[in-house]
Amino acid sequence: MHSYSLIAPAKINLYLEIIGNRADGYHELAMILQSIGLADQIDLRSISIDSIRVHCNHPQVPTDKSNLAYRAAELMARQFPEAFAKYGGVEITVNKQIPVAAGLAGGSTNAAAVLVGINLLWKLGLTQSELEELGSTLGSDVPFCVAGGTAIATGRGEQLSPLPSLDNIYVVLGKYRSLEVSTAWAYKTYREQFGNSYIRDSDNLVARANAVHSGTIVKAVLDKDVGGIAQKLHNDLERVVLPAYPQVLQLREVFANKEGVLGTMMSGSGPTVFALFESQQQAELVLLQVREAILDQDLELFVTRTITHGIKVASSV
Ligand code: C5P
């Protein structure tokens, strides 16, 4: 095969707890991550020259080394120089549907697709856990994007414990096109404002991260209790992002007051807000109601649903 077309789904955070500082400068987290149907398409093609080329339909997405998909290809070329020499360079075409800098892991899932795709293109035979390990050097969310589905994520977010898949929840996403939140800014601001309440003792840090496994939201996931999940949604980063972005707070409040919404929250470091529903019909109705309540063309709204997979091959030639 000389080319692969891959589906790279976005994620939402059903739970995000910041526990403390890590020696590597990151934060120790306890999260529940969930793949959703909103996805980018990544096309990978071997090219005869030994370089990496990125194309993207979205004008804000860089095509140079600052693009995580580029860095994923570079990592594979560095790790597997013989395969790179044998198969040549790679052309990566990103068809972007996932909003950028939105808290939906759009960049991370593109990088995950490049790792999965090059593994196939160069016939490397790497296992999923080997791909996740490589992915963790690119970004904290990349391993989850490789695996997908529903999972508890601890450590930086790269240590995954799969949970039974949730495929029956409908999701409406709201994102202001022109609003972007830097993940690094959100964590830095959180540390400045709430760092004095972090757990410092390393044993307690581990115990707190492990506690998520027996927490009420995980129990609701295990029971497939959609209402229970929706009531226990939590994201510590809302404490810094919502006060800084009043539009996002307002969007969250509009969702919260609509009938049929089981629960609403910001995803990751935002600014995307999501709401959960039992049916597609309810989700579509609330999308229309939010569109009427907020007459701003900058607000993008999507209906999607939870899905059970990460990166998937759509076709190969
Ligand atoms: O891992 P990733 O590159 O996606 O993280 C982006 C930024 O978010 C990091 O540079 C760091 O500032 C912050 N972060 C953190 N703790 C984590 C994950 C991310 O402080 N566990």
Side-chain angles (χ1 to χ4, degrees):
M1 302 290 172
H2 303 294
S3 69
Y4 282 87
S5 198
L6 300 115
I7 304 297
K11 63 87 186 148
I12 53 173
N13 298 70
L14 300 176
Y15 187 85
L16 190 164
E17 183 186 352
I18 299 177
I19 297 173
N21 283 316
R22 291 166 55 92
D24 59 10
Y26 280 66
H27 284 88
E28 196 69 33
L29 305 176
M31 302 190 283
I32 301 176
L33 302 174
Q34 173 63 55
S35 300
I36 54 173
L38 180 67
D40 293 339
Q41 184 180 316
I42 309 291
D43 296 330
L44 288 184
R45 191 167 73 87
S46 286
I47 49 177
S48 49
I49 47 168
D50 64 349
S51 64
I52 297 157
R53 288 200 179 148
V54 177
H55 309 281
C56 184
N57 61 331
H58 193 300
Q60 274 162 274
V61 174
T63 53
D64 60 9
K65 287 184 190 210
S66 62
N67 186 319
L68 210 54
Y70 186 107
R71 293 216 293 276
E74 208 176 39
L75 172 69
M76 293 301 260
R78 215 171 35 244
Q79 291 283 320
F80 305 101
E82 284 168 19
F84 185 45
K86 179 173 171 191
Y87 291 98
V90 189
E91 185 176 62
I92 303 165
T93 306
V94 181
N95 183 338
K96 197 138 261 311
Q97 303 299 323
I98 305 170
V100 178
L104 298 172
S108 300
T109 194
N110 293 174
V114 169
L115 297 180
V116 171
I118 291 184
N119 183 38
L120 296 168
L121 208 57
W122 294 355
K123 302 183 175 52
L124 296 169
L126 299 174
T127 62
Q128 181 172 305
S129 68
E130 286 168 332
L131 291 169
E132 288 174 16
E133 186 140 1
L134 282 169
S136 72
T137 66
L138 295 165
S140 310
D141 286 337
V142 179
F144 173 75
C145 292
V146 171
T150 310
I152 296 173
T154 53
R156 277 195 300 134
E158 86 293 6
Q159 287 171 27
L160 303 176
S161 303
L163 287 168
S165 292
L166 297 169
D167 57 357
N168 55 342
I169 308 179
Y170 288 86
V171 183
V172 173
L173 304 168
K175 155 92 180 33
Y176 285 96
R177 255 185 218 96
S178 60
L179 223 57
E180 295 187 356
V181 174
S182 143
T183 305
W185 170 85
Y187 279 104
K188 180 172 144 283
T189 309
Y190 191 91
R191 183 181 277 134
E192 282 162 9
Q193 292 185 15
F194 304 108
N196 54 6
S197 65
Y198 285 179
I199 294 177
R200 289 178 202 284
D201 173 68
S202 61
D203 288 346
N204 285 339
L205 215 68
V206 173
R208 180 78 164 269
N210 286 338
V212 72
H213 291 260
S214 50
T216 46
I217 184 161
V218 169
K219 186 173 181 311
V221 173
L222 294 171
D223 292 345
K224 298 204 182 287
D225 169 10
V226 182
I229 295 167
Q231 276 168 26
K232 295 289 172 192
L233 296 173
H234 176 83
N235 183 351
D236 274 336
L237 289 174
E238 285 194 332
R239 296 170 77 186
V240 292
V241 179
L242 297 184
Y245 295 90
Q247 269 175 303
V248 182
L249 176 62
Q250 185 218 7
L251 175 60
R252 193 189 189 291
E253 282 168 356
V254 169
F255 271 125
N257 291 319
K258 295 281 173 244
E259 209 176 311
V261 173
L262 300 171
T264 182
M265 205 179 60
M266 188 181 80
S267 182
S269 54
T272 302
V273 173
F274 67 85
L276 304 182
F277 300 84
E278 246 154 21
S279 76
Q280 182 167 358
Q281 202 184 5
Q282 283 171 318
E284 283 170 356
L285 185 65
V286 167
L287 183 149
L288 292 177
Q289 291 171 348
V290 172
R291 171 73 61 227
E292 277 168 22
I294 304 177
L295 296 171
D296 185 342
Q297 288 306 310
D298 197 39
L299 178 63
E300 275 186 297
L301 293 161
F302 306 83
V303 174
T304 184
R305 62 181 292 175
T306 56
I307 58 167
T308 61
H309 63 83
I311 307 302
K312 215 166 139 171
V313 176
S315 62
S316 57
V317 181

